Amino acid sequence: MAINLIPAFALLAICVAIHATGLSLLLRWMEKRTQHGKRTMWKDIWLLVRVSWIIVALHTLQIIIFAIFYLDVGSMPDIHTAFYFSAVTYTTVGYGDILIPEAWRGLAGAEALTGILMTGLSTGFFFMILSRVFIHTNRSKDQE
């Protein structure tokens, strides 16, 4: 079980790198897109929808990475089962209908913690974006 800490920390590092890179690129893209032009409620809503899509895509990529690892070490019989198990573990839904071999159960717990951490990062990022949209909207109204 202790030996599984190595892949757990490696997968966590990969997930943090993916998430941080994705959110950094998203922030740069948003800053370029929102600097020019008149802002409207519908433009802001469309922006938040796109941000949500990208954040979900980042989480999905991380779920796939865990699934590939589970498949690679032989703890899941096929990619569909590995993806399903990884998704319910990462999101901490944990239905319990598929069990990972006992030797890898610690990694499943580490995946759940990784999912919680990355979801918290996403939530903080989304709140920051929402705050910027709200502040920008209020400043625009004050200037009128």
Side-chain angles (χ1 to χ4, degrees), residues 11-54:
L11 289 165
L12 172 63
I14 291 167
C15 287
V16 170
I18 288 169
H19 219 74
T21 301
L23 294 180
S24 295
L25 292 172
L26 179 57
L27 186 59
R28 288 181 185 172
W29 172 80
M30 287 180 51
E31 287 174 346
K32 289 178 185 176
R33 303 276 299 175
T34 58
Q35 286 177 353
H36 308 293
K38 186 176 179 183
R39 304 290 304 266
T40 66
M41 179 183 72
W42 296 112
K43 283 184 181 179
D44 291 342
I45 290 170
W46 178 232
L47 176 70
L48 294 173
V49 167
R50 290 180 291 173
V51 167
S52 297
W53 286 344
I54 292 168

Side-chain angles (χ1 to χ4, degrees), residues 22-129:
L23 294 180
S24 295
L25 292 172
L26 179 57
L27 186 59
R28 288 181 185 172
W29 172 80
M30 287 180 51
E31 287 174 346
K32 289 178 185 176
R33 303 276 299 175
T34 58
Q35 286 177 353
H36 308 293
K38 186 176 179 183
R39 304 290 304 266
T40 66
M41 179 183 72
W42 296 112
K43 283 184 181 179
D44 291 342
I45 290 170
W46 178 232
L47 176 70
L48 294 173
V49 167
R50 290 180 291 173
V51 167
S52 297
W53 286 344
I54 292 168
I55 288 173
V56 169
L58 290 171
H59 286 288
T60 302
L61 178 58
Q62 293 164 77
I63 289 167
I64 290 169
I65 288 170
F66 270 95
I68 291 169
F69 182 84
Y70 292 135
L71 194 61
D72 189 53
V73 297
S75 64
M76 291 289 144
D78 56 66
I79 191 64
H80 301 293
T81 305
F83 179 79
Y84 172 78
F85 176 81
S86 182
V88 298
T89 302
Y90 183 92
T91 60
T92 69
V93 171
Y95 290 125
D97 54 342
I98 297 174
L99 298 177
I100 194 164
E102 193 171 327
W104 291 103
R105 288 189 186 156
L107 183 63
E111 181 181 6
L113 288 171
T114 300
I116 291 169
L117 182 62
M118 296 302 98
T119 300
L121 184 58
S122 294
T123 302
F125 182 84
F126 200 77
F127 180 77
M128 178 195 67
I129 298 307

